[in-house]
Amino acid sequence: MVGIDDVARRAGVSTATVSRALSGRGHVASATRERVEEAAAELGYVVSASASSLATGRMRNIGVVVPFLNRWFYTSVLEGAQRRLMQYGYDLTLYNLSGSSNERSTVFEQFLLRQRVDAVIAVSLELSAEEVDSLHALGKPLVGVGGPIRGVPTVSIDDVGVTRLATEHLLSLGHTVIGHIGGDVDAEMSFHMPTNRRLGWEDALRDAGVEPRPELYFPAVFTMESGYVAAKQMLGDPRLRPTAVVVASDEMAIGVILAARDMGLDVPRDLSVVGIDDHELAPFFGLTTVAQFPEQQGERAVELLMRELEQTREAEPANLQLPFELVVRSSTARPRPEREPRG
């Protein structure tokens, strides 16, 4: 059976160097790492997970907790995180909290506290002080995605800024009657994302001298179907109908486009639509959107976590805000002259 000594002899290095090169722990020159990896591949050597955990006290496994698994944003964050974890030689264990209400307490009070994972990434979950303290007490590093968590490194985007940018795009085209389909602020859970995205819409309008109209805000639940239903309500009253709408996610925005078409409205001639995400279907629907790069969020979360695990963390903001950008497609245009101004 091939052992680490055989790899060391083939590569012409010490067993300690082989261990560092194949585990990703400690500094090894890139040329040396490549030579060790080639030798290991030629000999068919695979690092023993059990031996590695005994030597390092780690399982080389990261727990990732998400509130939903059937939405594009979360699967995209997971894809980015898993890709980066594989590069570091770590496995991923997924905990999906979309089931019963007691799943969260079970995960944080039992599963994550067992010696199954070395660290935790929490996606779009505003963790309590008790949840953070229980993990830190066991020496399990923690990184969040989605917003600031006290005592925890996090990555996020500016949720006020994304809807401000989307609204400013519509204002620049000449729209002033601009609606907003966002999350239900009365039922929001973590990081107050629905409220913050509504604030971005309101702030951009006020800065342009347009008073936001509460009757042009419609809540939904971040699915295509809910966006469709909300749009039917918004567009069904011709006295209320806006010339443009800012939607808090691309999935809902696609629902808006479908609803408008079913009602005989042309997008963008009768209604301009802007989403947030840059969903994989956005180009197919010609959807103008604000891209927030969820895969990059997953990758950066892993990078922060590795610094925590290796205790090589550099000075970083407590909450690292990542970039976003406007992607203009065919769902937005200047308003028809007879539609503006109104009300």
Side-chain angles (χ1 to χ4, degrees):
M1 184 175 179
V2 176
I4 193 172
D5 292 337
D6 301 304
V7 177
R9 282 193 294 271
R10 174 68 67 91
V13 297
S14 68
T15 56
T17 298
V18 172
S19 177
R20 288 197 303 273
L22 297 182
S23 69
R25 301 180 68 245
H27 174 72
V28 177
S30 58
T32 302
R33 187 185 303 277
E34 290 176 6
R35 193 162 72 249
V36 170
E37 290 173 348
E38 288 175 2
E42 290 168 1
L43 295 171
Y45 175 75
V46 178
V47 177
S48 166
S50 58
S52 177
S53 64
L54 286 172
T56 65
R58 294 183 187 167
M59 297 300 296
R60 302 195 69 77
N61 187 26
I62 303 299
V64 180
V65 189
V66 296
F68 301 99
L69 199 53
N70 60 347
R71 298 183 187 175
W72 174 84
F73 172 80
Y74 300 106
T75 56
S76 297
V77 172
L78 281 171
E79 185 175 347
Q82 184 175 40
R83 181 167 55 245
R84 186 67 83 218
L85 284 170
M86 288 180 65
Q87 293 172 354
Y88 282 106
Y90 277 78
D91 293 318
L92 180 154
T93 296
L94 176 64
Y95 298 93
N96 178 18
L97 303 184
S98 59
S100 61
S101 58
N102 65 350
E103 279 190 354
R104 177 165 176 156
S105 59
T106 300
V107 167
F108 281 94
E109 293 173 12
Q110 297 182 36
F111 293 137
L112 293 178
L113 300 186
R114 297 172 183 170
Q115 300 303 313
R116 295 183 179 185
V117 299
D118 300 317
V120 176
I121 298 174
V123 182
S124 296
L125 293 170
E126 193 170 3
L127 303 183
S128 68
E130 291 76 14
E131 290 169 337
V132 172
D133 290 345
S134 64
L135 290 169
H136 283 172
L138 292 178
K140 294 185 187 293
L142 175 63
V143 167
V145 176
I149 303 172
R150 187 173 183 179
V152 176
T154 56
V155 297
S156 67
I157 63 166
D158 179 358
D159 282 311
V160 175
V162 292
T163 41
R164 172 185 281 276
L165 177 58
T167 308
E168 288 172 345
H169 168 64
L170 295 173
L171 288 164
S172 73
L173 293 173
H175 293 276
T176 58
V177 185
I178 302 172
H180 177 50
I181 294 177
D184 186 350
V185 297
D186 294 325
E188 64 184 4
M189 297 170 63
S190 296
F191 303 118
H192 308 289
M193 187 265 278
T195 292
N196 288 331
R197 292 194 176 175
R198 181 174 179 176
L199 286 174
W201 166 68
E202 293 175 340
D203 290 349
L205 289 176
R206 288 196 176 101
D207 287 350
V210 179
E211 186 60 28
R213 296 168 55 184
E215 67 271 22
L216 288 180
Y217 164 75
F218 283 78
V221 294
F222 291 88
T223 65
M224 198 177 300
E225 180 182 10
S226 69
Y228 181 93
V229 171
K232 279 293 189 89
Q233 295 301 310
M234 174 183 282
L235 303 175
D237 185 347
R239 298 166 300 176
L240 178 68
R241 186 183 301 160
T243 64
V245 58
V246 174
V247 191
S249 80
D250 281 357
E251 288 175 272
M252 291 195 295
I254 291 169
V256 173
I257 291 174
L258 295 174
R261 290 177 180 174
D262 285 352
M263 298 176 73
L265 300 174
D266 181 85
V267 175
R269 188 170 67 93
D270 298 314
L271 180 75
S272 285
V273 181
V274 183
I276 294 170
D277 281 333
D278 204 19
H279 189 284
E280 60 188 1
L281 291 177
F284 179 79
F285 283 91
L287 178 62
T288 295
T289 186
V290 179
Q292 65 162 319
F293 312 111
E295 289 187 23
Q296 183 185 102
Q297 294 179 42
E299 292 173 353
R300 292 303 304 272
V302 169
E303 290 165 7
L304 286 180
L305 198 63
M306 290 301 110
R307 295 178 189 178
E308 295 283 311
L309 279 168
E310 303 299 334
Q311 298 182 343
T312 59
R313 184 181 175 196
E314 301 172 7
E316 290 272 12
N319 178 44
L320 179 63
Q321 290 203 337
L322 298 182
F324 53 87
E325 65 181 38
L326 180 69
V327 180
V328 179
R329 297 191 178 99
S330 60
S331 68
T332 53
R334 295 188 63 81
R336 291 168 57 185
E338 65 268 27
R339 297 292 317 280
E340 290 279 1
R342 182 179 63 246

